[in-house]
Amino acid sequence: QNNPQVSRTLATCPFNARHRVPRALLRAHVTSCPDKLPLELPPDPEDMAKTAHTWQPPPCQEDWDAELSELEEPPPFILQVTKGDLPVPC
């Protein structure tokens, strides 16, 4: 901002906007920028297919119906509001 003529000759690093380098040196800076993150390639679809077919979920140990039948009496109904008890909007 203080020197607009110099700022026109500078380029901004795509990895860190605080890095302002001369346009001619931008390519060299991009290859050696310390803020450059390694690019992760997408996984190979063949490898994904192999792992997807080999994994199986563990068997479920829960049986909610059996737990319900083990109760001695039905669970109480807690909310005791009937339709006539509801407030009517004005």
Side-chain angles (χ1 to χ4, degrees):
Q1 283 180 329
N2 293 339
N3 197 339
Q5 290 178 337
V6 173
S7 69
R8 286 187 201 125
T9 63
L10 299 177
T12 304
C13 172
F15 303 112
N16 189 340
R18 292 183 179 182
H19 296 171
R20 302 276 293 174
V21 294
R23 291 186 189 274
L25 301 177
L26 180 63
R27 186 176 298 255
H29 173 78
V30 166
T31 59
S32 64
C33 180
D35 293 330
K36 181 169 77 169
L37 298 174
L39 295 176
E40 294 183 15
L41 297 175
D44 189 17
E46 292 178 6
D47 293 339
M48 293 298 291
K50 290 176 186 174
T51 58
H53 293 295
T54 58
W55 183 85
Q56 292 183 355
C60 183
Q61 301 294 330
E62 293 183 349
D63 186 6
W64 291 2
D65 294 329
E67 290 177 16
L68 201 67
S69 65
E70 291 174 4
L71 294 176
E72 295 161 1
E73 57 186 57
F77 182 72
I78 297 174
L79 184 64
Q80 297 181 2
V81 176
T82 60
K83 188 173 183 179
D85 294 340
L86 294 175
V88 179
C90 297

